Amino acid sequence: MPVQPLVASAGPPEGWLPVNMVNVLYAESETQTMDMTLLGTPVQVRAIPVSYHWDLGDGNTITTTDPGAPYPSEHVSATYTQEGWYDVTLTTTFSGQFSVAGGAWQDIEGTIEVASEPIAIFSKSLESRLVNGDVPIDEDEDPWVPERTAETEGPKDPEATHREI
C-alpha cells in the first residue's frame, strides 16, 4: 500500500524569483486513507503527515511540523543568495494507524519518509538599466530564465544552515 508523495510548492508559478526574495514553501498536506481486505476482513490504513523536510538545493534545509501555506504566508520560507538553478525537494514523514472492521484506530509503530518530485527554480540577480521605450516587449518570451546547463546551476551557499520551524 504505497503512500503517495505530497504535492509541494515553492516560489512563484513562473519558476523563477529574484536573488534574496522570499521563496514561500508549502505542501498540500492531508491524511491518506487506504482500504483493503485482509483474510476477508475490511482493514483501513491511514498515513498522517507529521513533519516536512525541505532541501533547498543550495545546502540549506528546513524541518518543520507546519506544512506551510501559499503567499502571503511566509511562515515556511527561505531565500537564495546567489543566482542559478536549484531543485527544491520535500521529504514528508508520515506516521500510521490502522482500523480493523471499522474498529478504533490503532497506532502503527515507526514512521516512513516519502519524497515529492523536485521543483526546479531559478534564482535571478536583477539589475536596473535604461531601456529604449520605443522597442516593444515580447511578453511571450521570458527573458529572465536561461536554459538549465552546468554553467547555470546554482552554487552551494557557503553559509548554509539547517533550520527547525
Side-chain angles (χ1 to χ4, degrees):
M1 299 183 73
V3 175
Q4 297 301 310
L6 297 183
V7 174
S9 295
E14 296 83 25
W16 74 274
L17 70 143
V19 166
N20 294 319
M21 182 178 181
V22 172
N23 181 10
V24 175
L25 310 168
Y26 67 95
E28 294 178 19
S29 180
E30 56 186 45
T31 298
Q32 298 177 37
T33 303
M34 296 151 274
D35 297 309
M36 66 192 304
T37 301
L38 185 61
L39 301 173
T41 304
V43 176
Q44 284 190 309
V45 176
R46 65 183 175 191
I48 305 159
V50 293
S51 72
Y52 311 87
H53 178 81
W54 295 93
D55 182 330
L56 302 171
D58 66 349
N60 288 292
T61 57
I62 299 170
T63 301
T64 180
T65 56
D66 184 343
Y71 183 84
S73 172
E74 294 182 7
H75 185 70
V76 181
S77 63
T79 59
Y80 290 104
T81 60
Q82 299 182 57
E83 182 174 277
W85 280 102
Y86 296 96
D87 284 325
V88 178
T89 306
L90 169 65
T91 302
T92 307
T93 301
F94 291 87
S95 66
Q97 295 181 320
F98 70 95
S99 170
V100 178
W105 287 100
Q106 300 176 53
D107 291 336
I108 298 172
E109 189 174 320
T111 59
I112 62 168
E113 293 181 346
V114 180
S116 299
E117 287 294 318
I119 301 164
I121 193 160
F122 187 75
S123 178
K124 175 71 177 168
S125 294
L126 299 178
E127 58 187 53
S128 297
R129 61 183 163 194
L130 297 176
V131 295
N132 182 348
D134 295 331
V135 176
I137 297 173
D138 182 355
E139 294 182 10
D140 293 326
E141 183 179 326
D142 189 343
W144 303 109
V145 181
E147 280 192 48
R148 191 165 193 171
T149 65
E151 291 79 34
T152 61
E153 287 295 314
K156 294 293 182 188
D157 182 347
E159 297 178 18
T161 62
H162 173 73
R163 290 187 297 142
E164 299 221 7
I165 299 175

